[in-house]
């Protein structure tokens, strides 16, 4: 707690320039990630000639030597985004420690000087730490959304379903977290000292020797204090609004108070998204000096003679900043349009049926999804050895049946007898596989829209017959036999499968199910929709899809805190395992455009 108090003291001594820098940093960080994304897309088009990167071409594109300079440049800029802030704030805290007042321009120059160091190849290890290790482990929140990465939820689901990986994965995260903490002071040392990043890492390891858990504890205490400030401020404001609402009941203030309270909560979220990273940098810098003192480190921090802008310099700086902001605003028009447009309530699509409470991809799952008022139902299909279309997520069905067999090597009558419910809960031992025809007959009767995900298997049978032979043709025939052409969308992560669907019948709606989604995906000619892994959804992608007259779904959304952002981006449909939770959140969130929407999205 003493270290946290010292952090506040150091920030308070130079509070005005730190606040001004924080606002400046927030503004440029709104633009830079978007502009960088557009620059990378332009570079991609020049090098590759394509319009997008998705599942089908991502690996081939990343293998192209010509793409690597652009990727390295992008990593350097993202690392620079983080280190610009660290360099500026650690400089201010260092000067506060020496009782020296600083100016905003000095902080800005100090940050730029640190960014310049990153461009030296001998310091490129910082790209790994600042852009990947630190954001992934969440050891401490520094920087902004541009440096945020996470493991997609569907990947974690796969890992935890695997007997070996589910033990290796948490262990790997713990080891990575400990590495992040061991190097945690490297970013401060790199900013304040004339050292390479490798040398800064070595210094951090020395400072953390026999002290790593104390470092972790201090960071946790700081986080608790910073979050507590947010909670207390929000609670006090809510109390005031509530008291006034009670006193003025009947005068219409209650409704106004609730709306004002929501705006205040959004403002507080924005405020803390801006300033908590600043406080964390201050906390690291304070600990850095404190641990150095305890280690009796004799190497002094070099004096940094940074001159503040004079009048001419201020005029040039402000002019360049304003001109850049105006030009950038035109470039990021899809984001501006997003903030000014009222969001529409997306439809809710039950992933594999209602798979949260009952066994997935079964008639029970589809009936439960209908009961819980899903608008759409999603299912996965495979072709059996005797040419039947069965509803199953996996071709290798050991996970749901306990049998080490493949759908494409098994006959339908045999598969139909298997228990595919006990894996979920023994009370569902009566549950069996369903086929596509019976599923569509039921969902048509209930008036539901359907997503059918094809999962074609490459290769041939022993007699040379392709396993995928007539796969899409059989699916389309079942759709037409049930008169469901207007209510079915065939989706797939396999682009060739969707192209075959369009070749068979151009009128059948298709959706590109994308793990990787970047670029002008609305221009894809063989897909009428897209369904994107939720971490990759941006206002730019949705804008591009809507401009092309297409719709965009997001999968698989099982966390309530992600739904508001998806709605703000303009998503058309949410694919989820938990229909009830998503519907409840959609009843409560805000759909109005304007300043509140802008604040929510940039705070995110």
């Amino acid at each position: 707690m003493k270290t946290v108090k010292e952090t506040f003291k150091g920030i308070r001594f130079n509070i005005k320039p730190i606040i001004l820098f924080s606002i400046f940093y927030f503004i440029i960080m709104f633009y830079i990630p978007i502009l960088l994304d557009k620059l990378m897309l332009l570079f991609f088009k020049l090098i590759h000639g394509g319009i997008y990167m998705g599942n089908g071409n991502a690996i081939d594109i990343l293998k192209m030597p010509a793409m690597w300079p652009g990727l390295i440049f992008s990593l350097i800029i993202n690392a620079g985004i983080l280190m610009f802030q660290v360099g500026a704030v650690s400089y201010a805290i260092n000067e506060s420690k020496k009782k020296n007042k600083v100016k905003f321009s000095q902080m800005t120059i100090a940050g730029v000087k640190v960014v310049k160091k990153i461009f030296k190849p001998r310091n490129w290890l910082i790209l790994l730490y600042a852009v990947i290790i630190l954001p992934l482990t969440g050891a401490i929140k520094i920087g902004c959304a541009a440096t945020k990465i996470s493991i997609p939820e569907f990947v974690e689901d796969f890992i935890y379903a695997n007997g070996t990986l589910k033990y290796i994965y948490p262990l790997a995260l713990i080891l990575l977290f400990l590495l992040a903490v061991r190097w945690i002071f490297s970013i401060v040392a790199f900013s304040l000292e004339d050292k390479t990043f490798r040398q800064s890492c070595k210094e951090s390891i020395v400072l953390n020797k026999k002290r790593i858990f104390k470092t972790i504890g201090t960071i946790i205490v700081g986080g608790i204090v910073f979050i507590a400030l947010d909670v207390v401020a929000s609670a006090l404001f809510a109390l005031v609004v509530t008291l006034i609402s009670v006193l003025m009941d009947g005068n219409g203030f209650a409704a106004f108070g609730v709306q004002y309270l929501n705006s205040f909560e959004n403002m507080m979220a924005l405020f803390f998204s801006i300033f908590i990273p600043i406080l964390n940098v201050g906390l690291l810098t304070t600990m850095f000096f404190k641990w150095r003192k305890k280690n009796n480190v004799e190497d002094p921090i070099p004096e940094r003679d940074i001159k503040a802008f004079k009048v001419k310099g201020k005029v040039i700086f402000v002019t360049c900043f304003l001109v850049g902001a105006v030009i950038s605003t035109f470039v990021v028009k899809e984001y501006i349009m997003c903030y000014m447009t009222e969001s529409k309530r997306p439809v809710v699509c039950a992933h594999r049926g209602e798979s949260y409470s009952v066994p997935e991809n079964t008639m029970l799952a589809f009936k439960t999804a209908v009961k819980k008022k899903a608008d759409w139902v999603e299912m996965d299909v495979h072709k059996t050895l005797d040419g039947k279309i069965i509803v199953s997520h996996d071709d290798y069905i050991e996970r749901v049946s306990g049998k080490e067999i493949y759908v494409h090597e098994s006959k339908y009558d045999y598969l139909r007898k298997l228990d595919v419910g006990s894996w979920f809960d023994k009370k569902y031992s009566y549950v069996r596989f369903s086929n596509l025809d019976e599923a569509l007959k039921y969902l048509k009767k209930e008036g539901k829209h359907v997503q059918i995900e094809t999962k074609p298997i490459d290769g041939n049978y022993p007699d040379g017959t392709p396993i995928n032979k007539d796969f899409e043709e059989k699916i389309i025939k079942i759709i037409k036999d049930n008169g469901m052409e207007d209510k079915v969308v065939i989706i797939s992560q396999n682009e060739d499968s969707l192209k075959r669907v369009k070749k068979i019948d151009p009128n059948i709606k298709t959706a590109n199910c994308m793990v990787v989604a970047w670029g002008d995906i609305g221009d894809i000619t063989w897909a009428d929709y897209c369904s994107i892994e939720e971490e990759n959804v941006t206002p730019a992608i949705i804008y591009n899809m809507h401009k092309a007259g297409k719709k965009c779904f997001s999968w698989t959304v099982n966390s309530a805190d992600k739904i508001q952002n998806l709605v703000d981006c303009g998503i058309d449909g949410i694919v989820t395992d938990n229909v009830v939770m998503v519907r409840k959140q959609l009843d409560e969130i805000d759909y109005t455009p304007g300043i509140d929407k802008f604040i929510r999205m940039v705070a995110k």
Side-chain angles (χ1 to χ4, degrees), residues 386-400:
D386 50 348
K388 304 293 185 180
I389 303 300
I390 197 170
V391 181
S392 173
H393 181 270
D394 308 320
D395 181 48
Y396 180 66
I397 58 173
E398 190 271 340
R399 177 176 64 90
V400 297

Side-chain angles (χ1 to χ4, degrees), residues 260-283:
Y260 196 69
L261 179 59
N262 289 334
S263 297
F264 177 78
E265 288 177 349
N266 292 328
M267 285 294 295
M268 290 299 295
L270 176 62
F271 178 85
F272 277 90
S273 71
I274 295 172
F275 289 105
I276 281 184
I278 299 291
L279 293 171
N280 282 333
V281 175
L283 181 63

Side-chain angles (χ1 to χ4, degrees), residues 443-464:
L443 293 170
K444 179 184 180 180
K445 183 182 70 174
E446 297 295 335
K448 299 300 177 183
H449 287 79
V450 183
Q451 291 185 3
I452 302 173
E453 181 168 358
T454 64
K455 293 180 174 288
I457 305 300
D458 294 329
N460 299 318
Y461 287 112
D463 64 359

Side-chain angles (χ1 to χ4, degrees), residues 165-328:
L165 290 179
K166 69 180 179 182
Y167 298 110
I168 296 176
Y169 176 64
L171 180 61
L173 285 182
I174 291 171
L175 293 175
L176 203 59
F177 174 80
L178 292 175
L179 175 63
V181 176
R182 275 168 63 83
W183 288 3
I184 199 77
F185 298 114
S186 63
I187 55 177
V188 179
F190 184 74
S191 299
L192 296 177
E193 299 180 293
D194 297 327
K195 292 182 175 181
T196 66
F197 186 68
R198 288 180 181 272
Q199 291 169 333
S200 300
C201 289
K202 290 179 180 179
E203 181 175 1
S204 180
I205 291 171
V206 171
L207 292 178
N208 267 321
K209 189 175 182 180
K210 298 181 180 180
R211 204 179 281 129
I212 190 167
F213 291 108
K214 188 172 183 179
T215 297
I216 294 172
T218 305
I219 292 173
I220 292 173
V221 169
I224 292 172
V225 171
F226 302 153
I227 293 172
L229 291 174
D230 180 20
V231 173
V232 169
S234 298
L236 288 174
F237 186 82
L239 179 61
V240 171
V241 171
T242 301
L243 289 174
I244 296 176
S245 298
V246 171
L247 293 174
M248 300 186 67
D249 187 33
N251 295 325
F253 186 84
F256 171 78
V258 171
Q259 181 180 357
Y260 196 69
L261 179 59
N262 289 334
S263 297
F264 177 78
E265 288 177 349
N266 292 328
M267 285 294 295
M268 290 299 295
L270 176 62
F271 178 85
F272 277 90
S273 71
I274 295 172
F275 289 105
I276 281 184
I278 299 291
L279 293 171
N280 282 333
V281 175
L283 181 63
L284 285 184
T285 307
T286 303
M287 279 195 288
F288 173 75
F289 284 112
K290 199 169 184 179
W291 284 193
R292 276 171 60 95
K293 185 177 180 180
K294 289 186 177 182
N295 280 12
N296 297 315
V297 177
E298 297 180 359
D299 295 339
I301 301 295
E303 290 295 329
R304 307 182 71 184
D305 185 19
I306 298 178
K307 303 294 184 182
F309 289 155
K310 294 183 179 179
V311 175
K312 183 178 179 181
K314 290 179 180 178
V315 171
I316 294 173
F317 176 82
V318 172
T319 301
C320 291
F321 174 71
L322 291 177
V323 171
V326 171
I327 295 173
S328 298

Side-chain angles (χ1 to χ4, degrees), residues 425-443:
D425 192 306
K426 289 186 177 180
K427 69 181 180 181
Y428 297 119
S429 61
Y430 64 91
V431 174
R432 299 293 183 265
F433 277 121
S434 61
N435 61 56
L436 179 59
D437 182 64
E438 65 180 327
L440 290 187
K441 278 182 167 56
Y442 169 74
L443 293 170

